[in-house]
């Protein structure tokens, strides 16, 4: 776990609300269900996350952000990781549960194009 | 005045109940909301690793090596020689297969389970796995009991590293 992040994550954890449901229905936000344990410490299996797709207005990524990206080796598979380092346009993505995570330590740096969105809300199961 | 207070209290309670109901309904909707999966990925696919599979294969290598060393034809007639050749070939095939299996299981632990962070605790991790993988090859190409015993000892060392990295101390129990 990257030092100091649990505090930063606090704002992400929310209770279900009508506004979020509405933004999901109209497509302003996307939602995904977490599978696996590589983000344990922050995300558990079954948690629902919402994210906003990256676009020209929304490309502000920082170290510590949790992001949704396309798997670099497997087509049509999405992964969720935390940005550990940024090298120009390439990202070192790591799981919070570093002893049980397959991430940039195995795949190498992830291209910006593979990053789909930044997680903005987490609804714990 | 008391009547007004009571009305105010009832209204407040009504709103409170209403919000609680709304919150419960929303939680239920969010929990059941159909959603695509996003993988908090590990290749296990869920972090399930165990050196036991390497241990079983390494034990089989040692067992087949011992059997090959003591194997001899029952007689000098053609039937005995054929039976000997047949059994010898089968034992060699199993020994080679199990050696390969041991190597595969060790490589999975080495490349998928162990991470750079483990090197701080186990500085000889790479050396241990590299030697163990070499022993798998040696056991595959020869009938050498010493090498097979060394392989099992190497797997035992990896077993200890693995479980101590998980904060557990599972005892080393062999099947044979």
């Amino acid at each position: 776990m990257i030092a100091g992040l649990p505090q930063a994550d606090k704002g992400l954890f929310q209770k279900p609300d009508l506004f979020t449901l509405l933004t999901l229905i109209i497509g302003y936000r996307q939602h995904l269900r977490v599978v696996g344990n590589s983000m344990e410490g922050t995300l558990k299996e079954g948690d629902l996350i919402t994210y906003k797709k990256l676009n020209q207005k929304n490309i502000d990524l920082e170290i510590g952000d949790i992001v949704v990206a396309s798997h670099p080796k497997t087509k049509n598979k999405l992964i969720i990781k935390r940005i550990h380092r940024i090298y120009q346009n390439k990202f070192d993505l790591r799981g919070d549960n570093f002893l049980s995570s397959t991430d940039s330590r195995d795949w190498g740096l992830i291209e910006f194009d593979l990053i789909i969105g930044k997680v903005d809300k987490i609804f714990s199961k | 005045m008391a009547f007004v207070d009571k009305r105010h209290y009832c209204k407040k309670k009504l709103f409170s109940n209403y919000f609680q109901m709304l919150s419960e309904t929303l939680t239920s909707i969010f929990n059941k909301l159909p959603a695509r999966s996003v993988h908090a990925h590990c290749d296990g696919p869920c972090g399930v690793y165990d050196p036991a599979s390497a241990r079983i294969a390494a034990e089989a290598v040692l067992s087949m090596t011992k059997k090959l060393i003591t194997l001899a034809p029952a007689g000098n007639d053609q039937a005995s020689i054929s039976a000997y050749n047949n059994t010898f070939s089968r034992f060699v095939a199993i020994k080679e297969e199990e050696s390969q299996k041991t190597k595969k299981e060790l490589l999975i632990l080495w490349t998928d389970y162990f991470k750079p962070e483990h090197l701080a605790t186990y500085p000889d991790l790479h050396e241990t796995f590299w030697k163990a993988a070499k022993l798998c090859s040696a056991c595959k190409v020869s009938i050498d009991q010493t090498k097979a015993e060394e392989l099992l000892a190497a797997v035992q060392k990896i077993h200890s590293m693995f479980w101590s990295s998980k904060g557990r101390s599972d005892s080393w129990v062999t099947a044979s």
Side-chain angles (χ1 to χ4, degrees), chain A residues 48-111:
Chain A
L48 190 84
I49 60 102
T50 64
Y51 68 97
K52 286 181 193 162
K53 281 189 175 174
L54 294 187
N55 55 43
Q56 290 301 319
K57 288 180 187 169
N58 176 29
I59 50 169
D60 189 23
L61 293 174
E62 292 175 354
I63 290 173
D65 286 343
I66 301 174
V67 291
V68 173
S70 295
H71 194 289
K73 310 272 182 195
T74 313
K75 272 187 182 176
N76 298 323
K77 188 171 183 178
L78 298 178
I79 53 167
I80 186 162
K81 299 284 167 191
R82 195 185 288 281
I83 298 177
H84 185 66
R85 292 271 187 278
I86 303 174
Y87 302 93
Q88 292 176 336
N89 245 6
K90 293 182 178 182
F91 294 80
D92 179 349
L93 301 185
R94 305 272 180 105
D96 283 355
N97 182 7
F98 66 88
L99 289 179
S100 187
S101 169
T102 306
D103 47 37
S104 282
R105 291 171 297 175
D106 306 276
W107 309 316
L109 298 175
I110 305 292
E111 297 283 344

Side-chain angles (χ1 to χ4, degrees), chain B residues 32-98:
Chain B
K32 289 174 187 166
L33 206 61
R36 195 179 159 189
S37 297
V38 62
H39 296 261
H41 187 77
C42 55
D43 273 341
C46 49
V48 180
Y49 297 100
D50 195 330
S53 36
R55 191 255 306 154
I56 294 166
E59 275 193 72
V61 172
L62 179 59
S63 168
M64 295 321 292
T65 304
K66 283 179 181 171
K67 284 186 177 186
L68 280 163
I69 290 168
T70 55
L71 189 67
N76 286 328
D77 56 298
Q78 188 55 45
S80 299
I81 299 290
S82 296
Y84 168 78
N85 285 339
N86 181 55
T87 309
F88 187 88
S89 309
R90 287 186 61 233
F91 284 8
V92 168
I94 294 166
K95 175 180 70 71
E96 294 199 2
E97 191 183 313
E98 294 297 327

Side-chain angles (χ1 to χ4, degrees), chain B residues 15-161:
Chain B
F15 272 115
S16 158
N17 285 346
Y18 169 74
F19 279 116
Q20 195 182 341
M21 225 168 70
L22 182 68
S23 168
E24 280 170 10
T25 310
L26 280 169
T27 305
S28 168
I29 291 171
F30 272 66
N31 283 341
K32 289 174 187 166
L33 206 61
R36 195 179 159 189
S37 297
V38 62
H39 296 261
H41 187 77
C42 55
D43 273 341
C46 49
V48 180
Y49 297 100
D50 195 330
S53 36
R55 191 255 306 154
I56 294 166
E59 275 193 72
V61 172
L62 179 59
S63 168
M64 295 321 292
T65 304
K66 283 179 181 171
K67 284 186 177 186
L68 280 163
I69 290 168
T70 55
L71 189 67
N76 286 328
D77 56 298
Q78 188 55 45
S80 299
I81 299 290
S82 296
Y84 168 78
N85 285 339
N86 181 55
T87 309
F88 187 88
S89 309
R90 287 186 61 233
F91 284 8
V92 168
I94 294 166
K95 175 180 70 71
E96 294 199 2
E97 191 183 313
E98 294 297 327
S99 301
Q100 193 61 36
K101 203 188 282 179
T102 312
K103 190 193 267 184
K104 184 189 161 200
E105 294 297 335
L106 290 177
L107 292 182
I108 289 171
L109 291 175
W110 190 9
T111 55
D112 293 352
Y113 171 73
F114 283 102
K115 306 285 180 200
E117 287 81 357
H118 289 114
L119 278 172
T121 323
Y122 314 106
D124 60 340
L125 187 135
H126 289 326
E127 180 82 2
T128 307
F129 271 101
W130 184 66
K131 280 185 176 168
K134 286 278 180 198
L135 282 168
C136 292
S137 306
C139 291
K140 188 179 170 184
V141 300
S142 60
I143 302 172
D144 188 331
Q145 190 173 332
T146 312
K147 295 278 184 210
E149 282 166 352
E150 282 175 17
L151 173 62
L152 196 57
V155 172
Q156 185 176 2
K157 189 177 176 185
I158 289 164
H159 164 97
S160 305
M161 280 178 173

